[in-house]
Amino acid sequence: MMESEKTFLFFDVECANCFGGVGKMCSFGYVLTDSSFNILENDDIVMNPESEFDWFLLKNGGTSLAYPKSFFLSQKPFPFFSERIFDLICEKNRQIFAFGALSDVGFVVTAFERYRLSIPQFCAFDLERFCKIDGEISGSLEKRCSLLKIDNSDLTAHKSSDDALMTMRLFREFLKKSNLLAETALSSRKELFFSSSDFLKKRESKMQKKARQKRRNESRRRDSKTIHFD
């Protein structure tokens, strides 16, 4: 049986808030291509976050949102789409990309955790760290596309599927500029892959560090009460 052709999945997540370190996902946008960047699918999976929206997203009339708040709230919640998202990111012979991969991987992990669903084991290649040349190409996704003269005038700001498409265009053009093949880039920068396990380990490390700091602070407070100035 012939092995299935490698496919590329570029994805972006928007959250209503990340209070408590948990991303309340409100959209999962993606672009699925073949290894030559021909688009096979492009969709924005919009959902009800079942949580409040961070005030920052709603300021200036909600210009940090691609859709009105009411549209998000009228959609089905994450569990309705979880199987589809799971299949997208766990498909065999699929390479996954994101701009700021560890954060987006974390949003996916915490969304599954939040609803007590099985956490998908997957990893994504970080294009924020890869598509960069010090002193020449850096900054936000939009800025880097501009520096590479990529026309994104057909895209909507903060729309997850459009941000995913922008990410794909950035990678494609950066490879051209660098005279690299995708497979060469992936095999030469193994340290830029971030997995669900990486996110969980980093979160555990931060929690342990925070707990140690809390114990030290409590110890200092107890010690300060024993000091006398007789």
Side-chain angles (χ1 to χ4, degrees):
M1 184 174 179
M2 186 178 295
E3 186 178 1
S4 60
E5 182 183 354
K6 181 179 286 293
T7 52
F8 292 165
L9 181 77
F10 300 83
F11 82 99
D12 177 76
V13 171
E14 293 289 331
C15 295
N17 72 67
C18 295
F19 303 151
V22 177
K24 318 308 187 303
M25 193 185 294
C26 59
S27 65
F28 180 100
Y30 70 92
V31 176
L32 181 65
T33 77
D34 62 19
S35 56
S36 298
F37 299 104
N38 296 305
I39 296 176
L40 307 174
E41 292 180 32
N42 178 19
D43 197 11
D44 200 15
I45 304 174
V46 182
M47 63 198 76
N48 184 337
E50 296 192 304
S51 185
E52 62 184 301
F53 282 80
D54 192 324
W55 69 270
F56 182 82
L57 298 176
L58 300 177
K59 71 176 186 177
N60 300 322
T63 53
S64 293
L65 296 171
Y67 310 96
K69 177 182 174 182
S70 58
F71 181 71
F72 290 105
L73 297 179
S74 69
Q75 305 304 303
K76 296 182 182 298
F78 179 81
F80 183 83
F81 306 102
S82 61
E83 185 175 350
R84 180 182 174 192
I85 292 172
F86 192 104
D87 290 344
L88 278 168
I89 59 180
C90 293
E91 177 69 23
K92 184 180 178 182
N93 215 20
R94 177 158 295 167
Q95 178 58 61
I96 304 173
F97 303 85
F99 188 86
L102 188 60
S103 293
D104 280 324
V105 167
F107 293 148
V108 173
V109 169
T110 57
F112 278 87
E113 277 186 326
R114 183 184 175 205
Y115 291 98
R116 299 181 180 180
L117 300 170
S118 297
I119 297 173
Q121 299 302 311
F122 73 107
C123 67
F125 189 74
D126 188 7
L127 293 178
E128 181 177 20
R129 299 191 188 191
F130 177 74
C131 298
K132 177 180 179 181
I133 299 176
D134 291 340
E136 186 176 349
I137 299 174
S138 62
S140 67
L141 173 60
E142 294 85 349
K143 181 181 177 183
R144 295 185 204 200
C145 285
S146 177
L147 290 170
L148 287 172
K149 303 188 185 316
I150 300 170
D151 181 11
N152 289 319
S153 59
D154 57 326
L155 305 183
T156 301
H158 307 298
K159 183 178 179 180
S160 290
S161 56
D162 281 3
D163 282 348
L165 182 54
M166 197 182 303
T167 301
M168 184 274 285
R169 290 174 178 176
L170 174 66
F171 184 48
R172 183 181 61 191
E173 294 306 312
F174 190 86
L175 290 176
K176 287 182 182 178
K177 177 180 175 61
S178 306
N179 195 28
L180 286 171
L181 296 174
E183 288 304 316
T184 303
L186 296 171
S187 62
S188 65
R189 300 298 302 275
K190 297 292 187 181
E191 76 279 10
L192 298 186
F193 285 92
F194 294 97
S195 67
S196 357
S197 296
D198 290 329
F199 169 77
L200 292 171
K201 288 175 183 175
K202 184 172 182 179
R203 185 178 65 182
E204 179 63 24
S205 177
K206 288 176 67 175
M207 290 173 64
Q208 290 178 357
K209 183 178 179 180
K210 187 176 180 179
R212 288 194 298 269
Q213 184 61 51
K214 183 179 179 181
R215 287 195 296 268
R216 283 195 293 268
N217 291 341
E218 290 174 348
S219 178
R220 291 191 190 103
R221 285 196 293 270
R222 286 195 300 269
D223 291 344
S224 68
K225 295 176 182 179
T226 66
I227 299 175
H228 300 282
F229 297 95
D230 295 334

